[in-house]
Amino acid sequence: MIGTVARVVLGVLFLASGALKLRDPSWPGAAQAMGAPRWSVWFIAPAEIVLGAGLAAGLAEPWPAWLALGVLAAFSAALARVLRRPLADRPACACFGRWSAKPVGAGSLLRNGGLAVLAVAALF
């Protein structure tokens, strides 16, 4: 039961994140400022939507939860790299598009940690 709830919640969050990125015309620039390679920017939001749909629908369990953990680890690595910059040089984290655009901080990593806990719970 807990795994199902965690999987659906995580799926909805990935769906929302991808959709909000697609709606935000400034997101590609924000992604590049965070260190995303130019070639990958077009791919990130649609991939989040597909991953979110797979999680929410319970398709191919447990692989979407494992993939979500990998994606969150990659995003967390990018956040940690940005956290080494002086506060004035930190780009806005637009992880949920314009809705969440504020300079990267420790809260950004904590949020990803919470999402990773959901991903682990979705495995069970």
Side-chain angles (χ1 to χ4, degrees), residues 5 18-19 24 38 68 86-87 100 109 113:
V5 171
D24 181 2
R38 172 171 269 163
L87 184 58
S100 68
L109 276 177

Side-chain angles (χ1 to χ4, degrees), residues 92-122:
C93 175
C95 298
F96 289 88
R98 203 175 283 155
W99 181 74
S100 68
K102 60 183 178 184
V104 172
S108 305
L109 276 177
L110 288 173
R111 179 196 58 234
N112 276 16
L115 294 175
V117 168
L118 279 176
V120 169

Side-chain angles (χ1 to χ4, degrees), residues 72-82 84 109 112:
L72 289 166
F75 288 169
S76 295
L79 289 169
R81 193 171 49 248
V82 169
R84 287 194 241 142
L109 276 177
N112 276 16

Side-chain angles (χ1 to χ4, degrees), residues 26-68:
S26 66
W27 186 81
Q32 288 179 357
M34 288 286 297
R38 172 171 269 163
W39 63 266
S40 71
V41 171
W42 70 271
F43 169 75
I44 294 171
E48 285 184 328
I49 291 170
V50 170
L51 177 57
L55 282 162
L59 301 176
E61 287 182 19
W63 299 111
W66 283 111
L67 185 56

